[in-house]
Amino acid sequence: MTPSKCLTVISFSHRNTGLDERDALSFERDDVESFVDLCRRKWSAESAVLTTCNRTEFYLHGPIGGAKIWPRLRPIVADLRGIEESDIPDPALFEDEAGARHLFRVASSLESVALGENQILGQIKDVHEQILLCAGKSPVLDRLFRYAIRVGKRVRTETGLCEGVLSISSAAVDLAAKIFGSFKDREILLVGAGETAETAAMHFQASGASRFVVVNRSEERGRTLANRFQGRFRPLDELVDACHTADVAVFATHAREHLLTHAHLKGVMKARGYRPIFLIDISNPRNVDPEVARYDSAFLYNIDDLEQVVTANMATRKGEIPAAEEIIDHMVAEWRSWQQSMQITPTISTLARFHEEIRRDELARHGSLSAEEQALLDDFSKGLIKKLLHNPIMYLRTAVDEDRLTPRELDLIWALYNLSETDEATDED
Amino acid sequence: METFVQILSFLLPVGYLAAFVLYLRRFLEEDAEGPFFGSPLLVLTLVLHGAYLAAMGAAYDHIPISSRAEFLSLVVLCIGFVYIFAERKHGDPNTGVFFLPLLVVGQTWSSLLMDHGHTHPLLYENQVYGIHVLFTVFGFTSLAVSALYALMYILLARQLKSRNLGLIFRRLPPLNILEKMSRLATLFGILFLGIGLATGHFLAVYVLDDFNLLDPKIVITYIAWAGYALGYLVVKLRGLSGLRIGYLSLGGYLALIAAMIFVNTFLPSFHSFQ
């Protein structure tokens, strides 16, 4: 019987390695090409490498698999990355169905540091594109990564695993977007010039904001931050005036008192024609009087509110894990079915070859017949073989489709017809 | 022509229902990607609906508002047009799920009630009368659309203020878009209703012999029109919080409907559309 090939996944991720180790193992594009080429030449194996900041994983499909392949790969990896073999930690190994399941979990972001993140699916698509560049040479990994991309898409569209944001600043931007839509012409007021204000500004800038005003007690620090975002600086005593034109105001100072009170906002709201203002108070103690939220158009969120939003989003995502796993189970079953259909393909072709050889031998024994008689006999024998093979082949295909074909049944067919001999004879040819 | 009308009478509810299903799927889907076929299907159905009413008018020689079924069908068409215009203007189909059920139910009901055998007054063959009705219905439906957008604004703003962020928060467009859509629909309502009232006056003076300007429905319509126009101006010139505008728009429309129901029940007037 043709030696079976197996899928092996060798994984170095945040679960089993440190950041330095992952950095050392991170593959560049050239490393990947050399690695794929080596695997093909040495072991006739299909291979792919997934490298992100949180993982480097080797996907191999070939005759040598599982724990046997890693000792042979270790020196190659060490050589490509220019590190000592002993510096490479022990990887997590997954074989066959477990390997496919692992990739599907990675694609769904269940294995990510931030549950529900979207970047990983794009990185898996990149690996798939690399596989496609060597078209026809990696049919199994091509199929495996196609399945993984399907899993990633389904999990993102059919479950809430990727809903909501998971950082305070992102939550603030998300909420502001629900009030103003685009930030294109919106003014973002940063009260304070520390790290928190800067992080918030970066998130707003990444979401399209370009008009920043920095209000700070220290002019030097305020101007530095304002310059970084091509914004304007205003001294702290102009805070209330600055609120007249601002759409979003982020308070992140160490002031011990309320910088914006209910009385302040009364004048502010009138001056701005009661346009909405989103007040984000991420300072401790609070800089904005909670009473300002009584104004219809003033939306006030403090650090606790934003943390609640993040916690709720995380809870929603965690609650969606079973739904995501259900999709993964379904796709693993599809993968298994496809793998089994691939396993019976050699059986069917060897069975057909076996019968064809018998037919040719028998025809050869009647070489003395006329050309017309030989043509008749040829047609007759072809039809007969076709009919004889119909039921066994249909049985095999149906059994695979219905996921009930056992290895014992497959072995029995090979033994009944002594197909191993036919297979070896063909290999020798 | 009559066969065409009958076929469309069946097809229109199906078209609106199919569009509603697509809008609902879009509303419930997270991170919806790819082409959205709901809007083109709705546009196609609305165009067919326009053709349906025009064909009905041509086939039966009257403006198609001479029965409840015809009038309802016209209202459905108007709501659909005002909605699709607002959607095109702001490019967000997620509010469609609030409007499409009205179109499905309204047109299905209209198709079921439709009877072309009834007689109608000669007035229903007058072109100016047709314009008057069309603009008045457009005006009222625009105000209804505005009230629905105001309702969405209120729901979203209240979720934001209460920090209770649910499905409404995740799926509805931002507050400023809802406010713009509501204002646009209100402006349409004021303009269309104004034209409807003006053409109605023209008819009263030049076509109808016996006409009472103090007819309750006319009085209510005038009050509503003046109220909306004044409100729109005040908001434009002096500013008002979005939430208060929302409450005013929704409250104003509910008051208008309540007044109309009262008049229809207790003070039946000539605008009966029977």
Side-chain angles (χ1 to χ4, degrees):
Chain A
M1 193 167 165
T2 309
S4 62
K5 294 181 176 182
C6 76
L7 172 72
T8 307
V9 180
I10 298 158
S11 168
F12 300 94
S13 73
H14 61 97
R15 293 196 192 276
N16 60 349
T17 55
L19 185 61
D20 290 345
E21 291 167 328
R22 290 202 300 279
D23 280 350
L25 285 166
S26 181
F27 266 48
E28 301 293 329
R29 201 181 177 88
D30 288 349
D31 300 332
V32 174
E33 281 170 11
S34 308
F35 180 84
V36 169
D37 190 46
L38 257 164
C39 291
R40 188 177 306 287
R41 279 191 289 109
K42 281 195 156 209
W43 304 295
S44 308
E46 298 176 26
S47 59
V49 184
L50 171 66
T51 294
T52 73
C53 52
N54 286 315
R55 64 185 65 247
T56 292
E57 293 184 332
F58 304 100
Y59 290 81
L60 293 116
H61 185 261
I64 309 168
K68 286 183 193 165
I69 191 82
W70 175 236
R72 301 178 195 203
L73 275 180
R74 188 190 280 266
I76 294 170
V77 172
D79 187 40
L80 283 170
R81 294 303 307 137
I83 52 176
E84 292 295 321
E85 271 189 60
S86 54
D87 289 341
I88 303 177
D90 287 335
L93 286 169
F94 304 93
E95 283 181 62
D96 293 322
E97 203 172 296
R101 182 179 293 279
H102 173 75
L103 177 62
F104 296 169
R105 287 180 64 84
V106 170
S108 340
S109 82
L110 287 178
E111 293 291 322
S112 297
V113 175
L115 181 69
E117 55 104 357
N118 286 312
Q119 220 177 351
I120 188 67
L121 188 57
Q123 288 157 336
I124 285 177
K125 283 179 185 170
D126 290 343
V127 176
H128 183 235
E129 271 172 27
Q130 281 178 27
I131 291 171
L132 290 180
L133 285 177
C134 5
K137 292 177 185 169
S138 305
V140 176
L141 289 188
D142 169 27
R143 181 63 72 118
L144 178 69
F145 275 78
R146 273 179 206 276
Y147 273 70
I149 292 165
R150 267 176 67 194
V151 171
K153 282 185 177 170
R154 280 189 62 190
V155 165
R156 280 163 181 81
T157 51
E158 294 174 26
T159 77
L161 193 77
C162 303
E163 281 185 10
V165 289
L166 295 181
S167 79
I168 297 286
S169 295
S170 307
V173 172
D174 218 27
L175 287 161
K178 215 59 198 179
I179 298 171
F180 302 109
S182 148
F183 296 115
K184 198 179 155 209
D185 299 314
R186 301 291 171 186
E187 189 173 293
I188 315 295
L189 173 65
L190 304 166
V191 187
E195 204 179 316
T196 314
E198 190 179 345
T199 309
M202 280 162 63
H203 275 87
F204 276 104
Q205 193 177 45
S207 302
S210 58
R211 291 173 54 202
F212 292 92
V213 175
V214 179
V215 168
N216 196 45
R217 211 181 294 275
S218 148
E219 184 172 343
E220 192 192 339
R221 290 190 70 184
R223 282 201 187 280
T224 308
L225 185 64
N227 290 340
R228 218 199 124 182
F229 293 96
Q230 286 90 46
R232 281 185 304 128
F233 168 76
R234 295 183 79 166
L236 189 60
D237 53 16
E238 290 182 17
L239 170 63
V240 176
D241 283 345
C243 286
H244 289 181
T245 52
D247 295 293
V248 177
V250 182
F251 290 78
T253 79
H254 293 296
R256 311 293 307 171
E257 72 284 347
H258 288 155
L259 299 177
L260 192 69
T261 63
H262 186 262
H264 287 142
L265 209 64
K266 191 175 180 185
V268 168
M269 293 315 290
K270 198 171 176 189
R272 52 190 290 121
Y274 303 94
R275 280 186 302 112
I277 184 166
F278 184 38
L279 303 162
I280 305 160
D281 187 0
I282 41 181
S283 41
N284 192 11
R286 291 178 193 179
N287 288 169
V288 183
D289 179 3
E291 284 293 296
V292 303
R294 283 170 51 195
Y295 284 99
D296 285 346
S297 299
F299 297 90
L300 170 66
Y301 276 70
N302 60 35
I303 187 91
D304 292 344
D305 301 326
L306 292 171
E307 267 172 6
Q308 262 181 29
V309 172
V310 169
T311 309
N313 286 345
M314 183 46 101
T316 307
R317 287 186 180 194
K318 281 185 177 164
E320 293 294 317
I321 291 176
E325 281 177 338
E326 208 170 289
I327 291 171
I328 291 169
D329 286 345
H330 179 247
M331 293 302 287
V332 167
E334 269 197 35
W335 165 255
R336 190 192 308 132
S337 171
W338 182 76
Q339 282 277 78
Q340 283 177 344
S341 74
M342 290 303 289
Q343 279 171 12
I344 61 150
T345 306
T347 305
I348 291 173
S349 57
T350 313
L351 200 59
R353 221 163 36 237
F354 169 77
H355 284 82
E356 178 63 15
E357 274 169 20
I358 293 173
R359 191 183 74 85
R360 280 173 192 269
D361 289 347
E362 287 304 303
L363 280 179
R365 284 178 54 209
H366 298 87
S368 56
L369 295 174
S370 68
E372 198 180 326
E373 285 168 335
Q374 274 200 351
L376 264 172
L377 205 55
D378 190 54
D379 279 351
F380 165 77
S381 58
K382 275 183 182 165
L384 184 67
I385 295 296
K386 205 174 163 185
K387 283 191 171 69
L388 285 172
L389 278 176
H390 177 77
N391 280 347
I393 289 174
M394 280 309 291
Y395 173 81
L396 285 171
R397 289 203 169 131
T398 314
V400 164
D401 286 345
E402 291 171 1
D403 200 15
R404 57 177 167 78
L405 184 70
T406 62
R408 184 179 285 182
E409 281 177 305
L410 216 52
D411 286 345
L412 184 66
I413 291 168
W414 280 74
L416 273 176
Y417 292 99
N418 198 15
L419 293 182
S420 301
E421 207 167 88
T422 310
D423 201 34
E424 279 161 20
T426 315
D427 286 348
E428 279 164 22
D429 292 344
Chain B
M1 191 75 87
E2 285 172 28
T3 314
F4 177 69
V5 169
Q6 275 167 1
I7 291 170
L8 283 184
S9 178
F10 168 75
L11 277 183
L12 289 177
V14 176
Y16 286 127
L17 183 65
F20 171 62
V21 171
L22 293 175
Y23 273 86
L24 184 66
R25 269 184 58 185
R26 175 80 172 201
F27 184 77
L28 295 175
E29 265 177 24
E30 179 67 14
D31 295 331
E33 281 178 10
F36 174 58
F37 298 108
S39 301
L41 178 61
L42 180 59
V43 171
L44 177 70
T45 312
L46 286 170
V47 169
L48 286 175
H49 197 156
Y52 165 73
L53 289 179
M56 202 189 296
Y60 301 104
D61 282 332
H62 68 275
I63 298 152
I65 47 160
S66 62
S67 67
R68 277 198 177 141
E70 290 176 359
F71 184 72
L72 192 58
S73 192
L74 181 64
V75 170
V76 167
L77 180 69
C78 292
I79 294 175
F81 266 122
V82 175
Y83 166 72
I84 202 71
F85 185 84
E87 185 197 299
R88 291 279 148 137
K89 181 100 179 139
H90 297 293
D92 192 327
N94 269 351
T95 56
V97 74
F98 292 86
F99 293 93
L100 271 287
L102 299 177
L103 309 191
V104 176
V105 173
Q107 188 51 44
T108 308
W109 195 4
S110 165
S111 293
L112 289 173
L113 289 178
M114 196 60 80
D115 168 25
H116 302 293
H118 63 273
T119 55
H120 57 266
L122 269 180
L123 180 66
Y124 286 21
E125 293 173 20
N126 185 305
Q127 304 285 326
V128 182
Y129 180 72
I131 293 169
H132 157 67
V133 172
L134 193 65
F135 275 98
T136 309
V137 172
F138 250 118
F140 275 115
T141 50
S142 296
L143 295 179
V145 169
S146 167
L148 256 177
Y149 276 122
L151 175 67
M152 287 180 231
Y153 184 101
I154 292 166
L155 291 173
L156 181 56
R158 288 184 72 87
Q159 279 208 345
L160 276 163
K161 284 196 90 67
S162 66
R163 296 161 184 93
N164 176 21
L165 311 173
L167 186 70
I168 295 278
F169 169 80
R170 291 201 296 275
R171 300 292 188 271
L172 280 188
L175 283 180
N176 74 320
I177 297 282
L178 291 174
E179 190 182 341
K180 278 182 189 168
M181 283 176 160
S182 181
R183 278 195 198 200
L184 184 74
T186 305
L187 186 64
F188 274 0
I190 294 166
L191 289 175
F192 289 147
L193 201 55
I195 297 171
L197 285 170
T199 46
H201 263 284
F202 175 85
L203 279 171
V205 173
Y206 295 104
V207 179
L208 299 173
D209 302 326
D210 180 26
F211 186 80
N212 179 13
L213 262 177
L214 293 176
D215 178 277
K217 270 187 193 158
I218 296 176
V219 173
I220 287 173
T221 309
Y222 265 117
I223 292 171
W225 185 83
Y228 272 103
L230 190 68
Y232 190 86
L233 275 176
V234 169
V235 169
K236 189 94 182 157
L237 297 175
R238 294 204 55 193
L240 199 63
S241 79
L243 208 50
R244 284 191 192 187
I245 298 172
Y247 282 128
L248 272 180
S249 179
L250 188 61
Y253 195 75
L254 290 177
L256 179 61
I257 295 292
M260 283 296 186
I261 290 171
F262 178 82
V263 165
N264 269 327
T265 314
F266 300 106
L267 305 165
S269 67
F270 76 107
H271 278 85
S272 62
F273 305 112
Q274 302 272 0

